[in-house]
Every structure is written in structure tokens, then in C-alpha cells.
Amino acid sequence: MTDRLRTAPHRRSRTRRITPRAHWLLLCVLVVTLSAALLLQGYTHHMFGITSDNVTGPRGRAEAVPGRVTHGGPVIADAAGAPHTARPKAGTIALTFDDGPNPVWTPRILDVLRRNHVQATFFVVGTEVVDHPELVRRIVADGHEIGIHTFTHPDLSRLPPWQRSLELRETQLAVAGAAGVTTALLRPPYSSENDALNDADWSVLTQAGAAGYVTVLSTQDAEDWQRPGTDRIVANATPHGRAGQILLMHDGGGDRSQTVAALNTLIPRLKARGFRFETVGAAVGMADPVQPAGLGEHLQGMALVTVLQAGDWVVWLLGVLMFAAGVISVLRAVVMVFAARRHRRLRKGRRGRSWGPPVTERVSVIVPAYNESAGIEAAVRSLVASDHPVEIIVVDDGSTDGTADLVESLRLPGVRVIRQENAGKPAALNTGLAAASCDLVVMVDGDTVFEPETVRTIVQPFADPRVGAVSGNAKVVNRGGLLGRWQHIEYVVGFNLDRRLFDLAECMPTVPGAVGAFRRRALLALGGVSDVTLAEDTDLTMALCRAGWRVVYEEHAVAWTEAPTSLNALWRQRYRWCYGTLQAMWKHRGALVQRGAAGKLGRRGLVYLFLFQVLLPLLAPVVDVFAVYGMVFLDPLRITALWLAFLLLQLGMGLYAFRLDGERPGPLWSLPLQQFVYRQLMYLVVIQSVFTAVSGSRLRWQRMERYGSLRAPAGAEPNGDNRTAAPEQLEPYEAAQQPQPYEAVTHSGPYAAVPGPGPYASQPDPELYPSHPAPWPHEAHPQPWPYVTPPRPAPHDTTHEY
């Protein structure tokens, strides 16, 4: 079997290079579209708004206003050229209503007008038209006249010319889209009578006149916007004499119940006095100011209404998602902290009685290596220095940098090198598994350094016969710079707290490839390490759980590993982890409906991974977009307070997690920066992985750059207790006879269970093997994601790499 594994052919379909680009284009389009919709929605709903008509402050200079306008009629035409005005005919009242349409009050006012057979003019606000297009259609269908009152009800005199044009144009499009008509009538917000015009107001009228609008002011104000009472509104609206009037009232902008009541009294009373009610156009003799919209304008208007209505729905949905994400995040934090506290108490209670009798049997340590010359010496020397008896099997998977030669040149006792053609990390692990002579095996990456007690500590849980695998605690050794600190925070706060929760819930999804221990017979029963996913460690762990084995977390089994030092390297590593985890989750989805240990993995572990490792990261960018939207258009203080509360929650979790891991809290100062940069990168990793998985593409192995930052622990020399020691100690680099490239391995069968010492075979003095040694007092201990360090190849070939 060793030979077959060693010469396994390359799986080119698996290592095919893919370049998924279309989804990034789609994502960019979605982001731009969402941003545009939110900007438009924010502008239309939150930049301005309908407020009281009461204008305070000095009137300002009126030198530019022509005298014939100041003393003329309320309807002003051709303001940009030779302005002229018009008044309503004597005995005629033009009822005008501003600030609608309103879904409550506009229909009631329309009912009053219909009962009294009166036509009026409604100056509508564009945002209200978008929200209630059916009311605009009813206004037109009932024979009333439409005018525009801007899109967001701003004071036009305070806006630049381009924004004035935008306000008028968008309102016109909204009316065209809602009712299929256009209008030439305009009433600027906060306007009143002619003699109140100043130079700023006149600049608005001249610009509107140049665009073809006729400005309609008022001659009498019912002052219903003050809600002074029905009788007072009727008195304010009643003309003195027989002169024609343009009466200002409101059907929107607040409670208009007094307006409705006043109309029921006012209209019959004025009719009894001989007054006629007309639209503005009819009252001054204008020829059809409202016309059918052209097809193009109608379609544009419909598109505008649709887009803005969709924007309202999107903002509502974003608000719901932000609330849901906040609740889920808080719930997760509470659950994780509770689980971590309980896990700690259980482990403290267990340390007195341990997992059972001390496990002292020899352990096979398998080190798969591909081009690991930068760190393999430190890794192997640290393993040789273990205070537990080990055999060390380095499987060189076709390295081209002399990794195998370097290990052999060290001539360290108990270290065995097996060379094989490049076939990938799973194949290398299976080769080591076939060559192992012990029932307990520890798998360690070639870029990882063990502490002297790590092997002894990680195998102690095997005293419990239900335990099939143990996850160790991998910590980042190169944590300098912001990127190193951010990974350190992520490993300690995220990965380690997650593992404590998984251990407590008995649904551990991943034993990290950097430091994990297994029962060899359990692996052989599964057929070895599978290569059908890119996260072989996650796949293997899930398979063990489904087979009924307990997988636990031993936080005191510390190993030090190199983390990426560039964003590009980090992206490639996490992309492979995330994609491989998605593959493993899909492969083991059947656990959702199984019972026993498999059911715990499915209904606890897989659901947790889906919610917090897939769904929440997919929603998180949306929440961030909404937060920016809130900072610009909503209440910045409230949004800032919510963000600070979330940050304090993260900081609290971080402090507790660092305390559990024996870490100094200093790196947590960079947590706010991590939220703005590092977290966004992780979101994109998940998005890329999900798109890749949904599209059915196969991600290739990606090579992890080694930096040579690993060092063997102080005193990492062969331990006298290591029972595989050679009879004669050799100098580290003394020339030695090299073994054959493909060293023969004697075995009873390919994956047959190999008889060996059981977990209770050897029981020396317990004082020599305390159950839980304290970890090294190193400053920081980040840990790999629940889906650990993977194989990765050279940029442009099909070689399996690590």
C-alpha cells in the first residue's frame, strides 16, 4: 500500500487553475447599484422633509423683483423673460392643497370635494408621489389639477441651481410615472404672497420660468398648518369681499383632520355666498397646464418610481438584517463566553482526576512536507525534544528545495524520512499513516514547532476510549505588525473560543493540521485521509464524528506555526480554508438527519458553521453599508453608539479569551482597525468561496509562503526519555549514510488495524506524567481557523503543495 500511495498519479482535474471573475463583476454591479439606490433613497427621504410653512428670519433684499410682480397677481409666467402675472376672476376661489398626497388625509379631502362637486389643484411632493402613486392617479381621475411642490420639499432659494433643476425634474418624472401626465404649475415650498418675494426667491422663479414653469403663489392662507381649530381655519379661509382668491391649504405634512372638518363647513358656506370653485388654470384662464406625458417620459417616470420604491424596501430589509445580525452577534457572544466558562470549569475539575490513567505509550508523529526547508529543521528538532516517546516520520512529498536532504543531514535520532513523488498532502499523510508503528498518531505541519510537553499533553485524552481525535492549540509565532496582531486576535478570540464551544457541545468540526492527534485504527477504519476536499483536516474530523468518535480540544497542547505576512498570502490561505470547509460541510450534510454523535455534528456543528462562518459574513457587508448610510442620512450619534457598543462587546470577548489563553491583552488595541480592514477581507473570502462553490468550480491547491521565522524551543535536543533514540548520538550536521529514496515499510496490510499497546498498557509513576502541564509563558498564541492550514502549489503548475 505504501508503494501505491507513493506513486499515486496527479489528479489534474483537482488542481486545475481557475480564474472566477464574473462574480466579482456581478458583485461590483450589485454594490454600485445598492449604493446608488441608498444614496437616492437617503437624499429623497432624509436630506430634507416637509416642515412647517412658518418662515422665520429677515425677508432679505428684493431689489431684483420687478414691481409688477410684487404688486401683481399670484400666478407668475415667463419670469425669465418678460414676466407677467394673473389674478383669479372675481367671485372665484381656487382651492390649492400642498404637501400631499397623504394616504390618510388626501382621500378624505377628495371625498369632501366630490360630495360638493368642487375641483381643486394639488401641489404634490415627489417623495409622496413615489410612495402613493395611486392617489395621484385618483386626483387626476376625479378631474382635479396637478402641480409640483418639489421632490423633497426643500427651500429652493437655499439650493444651488443644479439641485433646483434636479428637484423639479424628478418631481415631474414621478408625476409622469404615477399618473401619465406632466404639469406646468409650480409652487415653491415656503412661498406665500407676491410681496414676500426677495431676490433669492426671484432667482428661483426665473430659473423655473426658463424651464417652462408657471409659479403659483397664494393670496389667502387658511393657516391650517398651525392646526388652530376648525373655526379658526374657516375664518382664515373666508374672503373679505368679492375678489378672486387662491386659497392655500394642506392635505399632507401632518394631522389634517381640522382641514377636512373645515372644508365641510367652508365650501357650502362660500357657495351660498355666490363663490365659484375652480382649478388654478381655470381661475386665471390658462390653457390646459396639465398635459399627457410622452411615452419616454412616462417610462422614465415609472422607472424612477420603481427604483425609489425598491430603495425603500431595501432600506427596510437592511434595517431588519442589521437588527438580526446584531441580535445574532450578541447571542453568539453570550453563548461563547458561557460555553468557555463552563469548559474551563469542567477542565479544572478534570485536571485533578485526569482523563484516566496516564497515557505513556509511544506516539507516531507524521510530518508531511513539501518545500519546507525554511522551517523543517526547527520543526523536527522540537519534536525530537519531546518529553514523550515518539517516532517521527517526515514524508517528503516531492520537494524541490532539498527538504528531505536537510532532514536527513541532521541525523536526529528517531527521525525517519520517506520520499514520494508529489501527490498532495492527503497522500503524504496516508503514506505516513501506513508507515506508523504506533496506535496513536500526531499530525503536524512542516511549518510548526512543538513545545517539549505538547505530544504528551495532546495524547492524554486518549485515556478515554471514546476519544478518537484531539485538537491542539496552534499559536502564531510571527505576530509582528498589524496583520500579525489581527491574526493573533482572530485565532485567540475566534478559533479558540469556538473550539471550547465545539468541545462542550461534542461537535468539533476541525482538528487543525498544525497540531492534532488521532487513533490510528480510527483513521484506518475510515480508509485514511480523503483528498476529495481542500480541507482534509475538516473532512477527516467530520468523518470521525460521524463514525461515533469523540473529538476534544486540549488547549494546553501548544504548537507554534507561521502565519501569512501579506494580504495576498492571507487571502489565498483563508480562501482555501473556507472553500474546503464548504466542501466538507456539503459532503457531510447527511449528518443533519442522523442520530447520536453524527447528529450532534450535523445539528450543532454544521448549523453553527453555516450561521456564523457563512451566513453572517455574507450579511456583514450589508450591515456595514447600512451603517455608512445611517452615518450620512440618519442619526450619526445613534449609529456611532451602536458601533461602539459592538466594539465593546468584541473587546470584552477579546479580554476574556486572552485571559483564558494566558495572553497579554496588548494586541487588542488594534481591534478597531481590524474591524475596518481585516474583517472586510474575511468577508470577501467567504463571498469568493461561496461563489466558487455555487458555480461548481474546483479550486486548486495554493502554495503557502514560508518565512523561516520558526525556531526550535530552547534546549530542543534529543530527550533521554525518547525511547527511539539511536545507540550513538551524532552531531547535527555530521555526514551520514543516506537511506534509500523509498524506504521499505513493513506492514501487516494496507489499512489493517495494527496491534499495538493499548492506551492503558504502560503506566509509570504518575508524577512523571502530570495530566495537564501548564503552557509555555509565550506572549501570544493565535490558532488556525476551524479549517486549518492546507496544501498549496506553485503559481503556474499542477503540483500539490502545502
Side-chain angles (χ1 to χ4, degrees):
M1 173 58 69
T2 302
D3 290 342
R4 183 178 69 82
L5 287 170
R6 183 172 59 234
T7 59
H10 296 304
R11 296 178 178 268
R12 294 186 181 275
S13 62
R14 172 178 173 177
T15 58
R16 174 169 60 88
R17 182 176 178 82
I18 63 169
T19 54
R21 303 296 182 196
H23 64 276
W24 286 122
L25 178 61
L26 176 62
L27 182 63
C28 289
V29 171
L30 289 175
V31 169
V32 170
T33 303
L34 177 63
S35 300
L38 290 177
L39 284 172
L40 185 58
Q41 205 275 348
Y43 173 83
T44 57
H45 286 73
H46 302 293
M47 286 295 289
F48 305 101
I50 299 173
T51 58
S52 169
D53 281 358
N54 186 28
V55 180
T56 59
R59 176 171 172 258
R61 302 175 64 178
E63 297 175 354
V65 184
R68 58 180 175 273
V69 172
T70 302
H71 304 290
V75 179
I76 306 169
D78 199 17
H84 57 276
T85 66
R87 297 179 183 273
K89 292 172 287 188
T92 301
I93 293 179
L95 282 175
T96 63
F97 297 92
D98 289 4
D99 299 348
N102 181 276
V104 176
W105 307 115
T106 301
R108 297 186 185 184
I109 290 174
L110 289 173
D111 291 341
V112 174
L113 298 178
R114 177 180 290 179
R115 287 195 301 268
N116 289 276
H117 307 288
V118 168
Q119 271 70 51
T121 302
F122 289 80
F123 290 94
V124 296
V125 176
T127 55
E128 299 299 318
V129 172
V130 170
D131 290 340
H132 313 289
E134 72 286 351
L135 294 180
V136 183
R137 289 191 289 270
R138 180 180 171 184
I139 290 171
V140 174
D142 285 358
H144 303 290
E145 200 168 59
I146 290 287
I148 66 173
H149 198 46
T150 71
F151 201 77
T152 62
H153 204 272
D155 184 349
L156 293 176
S157 65
R158 300 176 184 272
L159 300 184
W162 69 267
Q163 199 168 354
R164 297 174 187 170
S165 297
L166 179 66
E167 287 282 332
L168 303 184
R169 176 60 179 165
E170 296 307 297
T171 312
Q172 195 74 260
L173 282 177
V175 171
V181 298
T182 61
T183 178
L185 301 179
L186 163 68
R187 173 170 284 165
Y190 310 107
S191 61
S192 56
E193 300 177 1
N194 294 51
D195 59 3
L197 293 173
N198 58 29
D199 290 348
D201 298 327
W202 182 246
S203 69
V204 173
L205 268 60
T206 55
Q207 183 177 349
Y213 287 98
V214 175
T215 300
V216 180
L217 303 179
S218 62
T219 60
Q220 193 155 356
D221 187 355
E223 298 185 3
D224 58 339
W225 49 271
Q226 297 190 64
R227 292 191 285 275
T230 301
D231 294 340
R232 186 72 250 172
I233 293 175
V234 171
N236 292 337
T238 302
H240 300 286
R242 299 291 300 173
Q245 303 291 337
I246 293 183
L247 179 60
L248 172 60
M249 304 184 81
H250 297 81
D251 66 327
D255 183 352
R256 299 303 176 215
S257 57
Q258 294 180 8
T259 302
V260 175
L263 284 172
N264 280 312
T265 301
L266 179 68
I267 294 175
R269 181 180 295 180
L270 293 182
K271 278 189 173 184
R273 289 179 52 184
F275 281 95
R276 300 184 309 275
F277 289 91
E278 303 280 359
T279 63
V280 169
V284 299
M286 289 181 62
D288 300 326
V290 178
Q291 296 289 330
L295 178 61
E297 197 162 25
H298 180 54
L299 293 177
Q300 290 180 54
M302 291 178 63
L304 175 66
V305 171
T306 301
V307 167
L308 290 177
Q309 288 179 339
D312 292 341
W313 182 85
V314 167
V315 169
W316 174 84
L317 180 61
L318 290 180
V320 171
L321 292 178
M322 184 174 182
F323 177 78
V327 170
I328 291 175
S329 298
V330 172
L331 180 62
R332 181 195 184 197
V334 171
V335 170
M336 289 178 68
V337 171
F338 173 80
R341 287 176 59 86
R342 181 166 176 79
H343 183 270
R344 184 185 185 189
R345 286 198 299 266
L346 289 175
R347 285 301 171 85
K348 276 187 174 181
R350 174 173 287 169
R351 290 186 69 177
R353 62 181 185 276
S354 185
W355 295 87
V359 176
T360 58
E361 63 181 275
R362 195 172 62 156
V363 175
S364 297
V365 182
I366 303 173
V367 187
Y370 176 81
N371 289 350
E372 300 282 3
S373 60
I376 193 66
E377 179 180 353
V380 173
R381 285 187 179 277
S382 72
L383 294 172
V384 171
S386 296
D387 61 8
H388 191 91
V390 295
E391 68 167 353
I392 302 167
I393 303 171
V394 178
V395 183
D396 183 83
D397 190 43
S399 297
T400 59
D401 67 344
T403 297
D405 295 335
L406 174 59
V407 176
E408 289 172 343
S409 70
L410 300 177
R411 302 186 65 186
L412 294 172
V415 178
R416 183 180 184 185
V417 178
I418 300 177
R419 302 172 186 253
Q420 69 174 30
E421 294 179 3
N422 181 256
K425 184 178 181 181
L429 290 172
N430 284 330
T431 298
L433 189 63
S437 62
C438 304
D439 184 57
L440 300 182
V441 296
V442 172
M443 295 180 181
V444 53
D445 288 336
D447 62 343
T448 303
V449 167
F450 273 24
E451 296 180 357
E453 65 271 17
T454 298
V455 174
R456 170 169 49 85
T457 303
I458 201 171
V459 298
Q460 295 310 308
F462 289 114
D464 185 341
R466 299 173 301 169
V467 174
V470 183
S471 167
N473 185 353
K475 297 178 178 292
V476 170
V477 68
N478 54 329
R479 57 187 64 172
L482 278 177
L483 193 59
R485 291 189 184 94
W486 290 340
Q487 291 179 82
H488 174 37
I489 294 172
E490 181 190 27
Y491 284 15
V492 174
V493 179
F495 304 159
N496 285 358
L497 287 183
D498 275 347
R499 285 205 173 92
R500 288 181 170 89
L501 174 61
F502 291 140
D503 190 0
L504 192 66
E506 300 183 12
C507 60
M508 185 77 67
T510 303
V511 171
V515 52
F518 304 86
R519 290 192 191 273
R520 181 170 177 271
R521 56 188 172 90
L523 300 185
L524 297 181
L526 296 175
V529 183
S530 172
D531 65 349
V532 298
T533 73
L534 295 187
E536 78 290 330
D537 45 10
T538 300
D539 184 13
L540 182 63
T541 308
M542 290 182 178
L544 286 170
C545 289
R546 295 186 69 184
W549 290 100
R550 176 84 186 278
V551 181
V552 300
Y553 173 51
E554 179 49 75
E555 64 267 31
H556 298 298
V558 176
W560 301 86
T561 188
E562 282 190 322
T565 59
S566 68
L567 289 177
N568 181 56
L570 178 65
W571 169 274
R572 289 187 287 114
Q573 181 195 65
R574 299 309 176 84
Y575 180 24
R576 197 200 68 85
W577 286 359
C578 186
Y579 181 80
T581 299
L582 292 175
Q583 288 179 307
M585 291 171 62
W586 181 254
K587 177 181 176 181
H588 296 284
R589 64 190 183 279
L592 290 167
V593 296
Q594 291 182 288
R595 296 181 178 180
K600 292 178 181 178
L601 170 71
R603 290 182 290 277
R604 298 177 186 177
L606 295 186
V607 169
Y608 183 92
L609 288 178
F610 177 76
L611 287 177
F612 299 113
Q613 307 275 354
V614 179
L615 187 58
L616 190 59
L618 289 177
L619 295 179
V622 177
V623 174
D624 289 342
V625 168
F626 188 76
V628 174
Y629 171 85
M631 291 289 292
V632 176
F633 295 112
L634 300 179
D635 185 352
L637 292 178
R638 186 178 65 174
I639 298 298
T640 302
L642 288 174
W643 185 82
L644 289 176
F646 176 77
L647 186 61
L648 288 174
L649 178 66
Q650 296 290 318
L651 181 61
M653 288 179 60
L655 289 171
Y656 184 66
F658 270 56
R659 179 184 174 187
L660 288 179
D661 257 32
E663 299 284 354
R664 295 179 181 176
L668 289 174
W669 71 264
S670 64
L671 188 62
L673 295 176
Q674 186 193 45
Q675 303 300 309
F676 288 109
V677 180
Y678 188 83
R679 196 162 56 100
Q680 316 306 321
L681 181 67
M682 296 301 104
Y683 295 160
L684 294 178
V685 166
V686 176
I687 292 171
Q688 168 85 333
S689 302
V690 170
F691 268 106
T692 306
V694 170
S695 66
S697 302
R698 298 278 295 180
L699 180 64
R700 58 168 287 166
W701 295 102
Q702 297 179 349
R703 187 176 189 278
M704 173 67 183
E705 184 180 357
R706 306 306 188 199
Y707 313 104
S709 56
L710 294 172
R711 296 292 183 270
E717 296 298 332
N719 195 306
D721 290 336
N722 191 328
R723 303 177 189 181
T724 62
E728 181 181 357
Q729 299 287 345
L730 300 177
E731 292 300 321
Y733 291 94
E734 183 179 343
Q737 182 178 359
Q738 300 296 316
Q740 293 299 319
Y742 297 95
E743 182 174 350
V745 179
T746 305
H747 255 292
S748 58
Y751 283 99
V754 179
Y760 310 101
S762 179
Q763 302 177 12
D765 186 348
E767 293 183 359
L768 297 177
Y769 293 92
S771 55
H772 288 283
W776 272 9
H778 282 63
E779 176 184 351
H781 306 124
Q783 173 155 323
W785 228 14
Y787 357 111
V788 125
T789 316
R792 344 159 200 200
H796 300 290
D797 61 20
T798 57
T799 306
H800 298 271
E801 304 190 12
Y802 299 78

